[in-house]
Each structure stands twice: as C-alpha cells, then as structure tokens.
Amino acid sequence: MINPANRVKSVEMSQIRKMFEIASPTAISLGLGEPDFDTPIHIRQAVVDALEEGFTHYTSNKGIPELREAISNKLASENKVKSDPESILVTVGASEALYMSTQAFVNPGDEVLIPDPGFLSYAACVKLSEGIPVPIPLKKENDLRMTIEDVEDLINPHTKAIILNSPCNPTGSVMKKKDIKGIAKLADDNDMLIISDEIYEKIIYSDKGQNKVKHYSPGQFSENAITINGFSKTYAMTGFRIAYIAACEHLSEELLKVHQYNTACASSISQKAALTAIKGPQKCVDEMLAEFKRRRNLIVSRLNDMGWECKSPQGAFYVFLDVRDSQEFVKQALNNDVVVVSGAGFGKTSTNYVRMSYATSYENIETAMERLENVKF
Ligand code: PMP
C-alpha cells in the first residue's frame, strides 16, 4: 500500500463536485462558477487561425511576448499596476497562478491569511505548500467584505502572505479602496506578500442612484503584491485554461521556477486566443455583464419575495445567502431538483449560508426560483 504524502492527505476533494454526483439529471444547477455563454466567436476564430498556421509548439516559458506586452499595457492603463512584460508569466488558468504563488513563497509552518468565506483553492494551495491557512473571518455587518480591521490583528511574525479576492467568490463583495490601500501598507510594514486574485475584475455592477463600484489592484500600492488575473470569467474561456501573474522582477524569477518545472508553458493556441481577447473588441464583455446583471436582479428579487433577506451583490456571479441551516436548505433544494452549494465548504464563518451561482440562463433561474418556493423551514 503506497501512502500519499502528508500534505496531500491534508487536503479534501471539492464538496461542490460531490453535489453533482448526487443530483438528478433533471436538476437545475446553481452550483458551478462557470459562465454559460459561448466563448465569443472572434476569440474562437483565433484558435482556428493559430492551428492553421501550425502554431502548435512550446512557447517561451513565460508566454508569447506579444501577449505579455498586451497584459502589461492593460495592467498599466486599467489597474495602475506597473509591470515589465519580462516579469509577467502566462499561466494555465488562475488556478496554476495561485498554486505557483504558494509553492514559490510559503515555507512549512508559514501562516497565510485567507478570506473566510473564501474560494476553496486558497486553503488547499497553502496546505500543499505545508503552510498554515489562517482564516480572516468576514463580518455580516460589512456584507462579508474584507476590511483592514479584519486583517490587522491577525498579522504576527509567522505571517508570510495574505490572499485577497475582490470581487469575491463566494460572496460577490467588492473591497473598498481604503481597505486595499491599507492592507498594502500593512504588507509593506510587515514584509508580507499579497496574492491578489482578480479573476472577477470585470464582473462588477453599478446600480442607479448608488456610487460607482470600482476595482482596485493592491499592486498599484505595493511592490509586495502579485496580481493574478485571467480570461476564464471575463471572456467565458474556462476550458482554454489561460491566465497570468504579474509581479516585480525578483518575485517573478521565483515564480518562473515553479511554472517552468510544473507546466513548461501555457497552451500555445490558448495564448493566441487570449491575445485576441485582450486586444480585440470588448463589446462581448459588456454584453455578458449586462446579462449577468439582469440575472442578478432576477434572483435577488425572487429570493426577497420568498422572504429571504438577500442584498444585491456588487460583483462576480454568486448570491450568498444566510439561510440559518444550510444543510437543510441544500437537502430540500436537491429534493426540489435544484443544486445549490453549502457555505460550509467556503469556511467556518459561512456554515449557515448557501451559494447560488447565476451563471446559468435567465429561464433556468426562473424555474429554479419557482422550485425553491417549496423550501420551507
Ligand atoms: N479564483 C477564483 C476566485 C475562482 O472562482 C476561480 C474559478 N472558479 C479561479 C480562481 C480559477 O480560475 P481559472 O479558470 O483561471 O483557473
């Protein structure tokens, strides 16, 4: 009998996938965090062109120069993040970028602060580096949005890094500039690394009569911040497995070692698709955003009509709802052929919550909401 490594033993399989195994084929899934839209046609065409040109070999480890150049320009103009194209690495999804960041910088016993509730991969990546994930309990009175006060007291000499995720999966919250700036200052003062997962950057909603909600990158404020972003959510390109990481030179060199020996380089044809996505027309992004907003408004108003207290999330494509007893809610939802995900998988703070993804059609959401009317306790 071959024993797995302890660090692998310490990690559990994703609960989200398990839900699908027990759901009936007629169930409507509000489970997955994946845009249901087709990848825009001009982006798919770029792959066809790349194949016809025979662009099917390894690229440089860092990624094709024209893509890194385009990413660098985007970061400068949209995020005020200065980055040398030589210090940008094109990765196999944001997933690889997160894994690389912890592998490159976390030593056994190092503490890494992670949002609670937060994306499942964060704790897993920290454990696979033999670090200690330290949850940052997010507060209901702040709509589960991370603030500088939530973080301050958790920093100690063992703290190596903090993971930020704004807009956030699973809460949909968007961090405020003062908190991002404040945490960047804490990072500088305490030699702490910021791993900033900005994958939902473009999925932010502004509502009439309210202040415009904006995305801020900590990389704008601190050289200790590494910026992770990608194409999966913005351009409905999950299957392309393409993203990037930007860091200052000395951090990027360490990241490159992990990337080089892990994946060598991202897929050549996906890089061409990403280049077209970033340089091409952005109308498709606006259209998808408008549709996400229509769906968000539907799901929020239907849940409120049912008597649940559901605020409008400012970003991403999830509703995170306090249902008081998530196990019971998930069970009853499944009995009514709707898959939702228990908040317990996202951390200790959110065991009473469920996450519903509205990255599914408007019609599916309408039907799912009709079915959820039968959930009563
Ligand atoms: N970060 C967050 C917060 C996510 O929700 C996801 C996907 N669910 C990822 C990273 C991974 O994205 P990718 O497809 O680029 O690996």
Side-chain angles (χ1 to χ4, degrees), residues 135-149:
I136 308 166
L138 304 180
K139 299 198 180 71
K140 192 169 183 186
E141 65 257 35
N142 298 330
D143 298 329
L144 302 175
R145 182 176 35 76
M146 192 188 290
T147 67
I148 181 166
E149 291 78 21

Side-chain angles (χ1 to χ4, degrees), residues 33 92-95 98 119 122 165 169 197 199-200 232-233 238 241-243 318:
V92 181
S95 304
L98 287 167
F119 179 46
Y122 302 148
N165 176 217
N169 172 12
D197 177 355
I199 192 94
Y200 292 100
S232 286
K233 315 285 174 178
T238 45
R241 313 306 306 124
I242 196 87
Y318 308 102

Side-chain angles (χ1 to χ4, degrees), residues 38-52:
D38 289 334
T39 307
I41 186 73
H42 66 287
I43 299 175
R44 283 185 277 153
Q45 186 58 44
V47 177
V48 176
D49 296 346
L51 285 171
E52 279 176 359

Side-chain angles (χ1 to χ4, degrees), residues 97-106 112 122 125-126 129 163 195:
L98 287 167
Y99 183 75
M100 277 158 63
S101 311
T102 46
Q103 288 295 315
F105 298 109
V106 177
V112 179
Y122 302 148
C125 284
V126 174
S129 310
I163 302 183
I195 301 168

Side-chain angles (χ1 to χ4, degrees), residues 1 19 39 47 51 80 82 84 97 146 152 156 161 207 217 240 246 250 289 309 333 365:
M1 165 92 165
M19 292 296 304
T39 307
V47 177
L51 285 171
K80 298 192 187 144
K82 284 196 210 98
D84 182 341
M146 192 188 290
E152 264 164 344
N156 67 57
D207 291 298
S217 296
F240 286 72
H250 69 280
L289 183 66
E309 194 198 318
I365 296 169

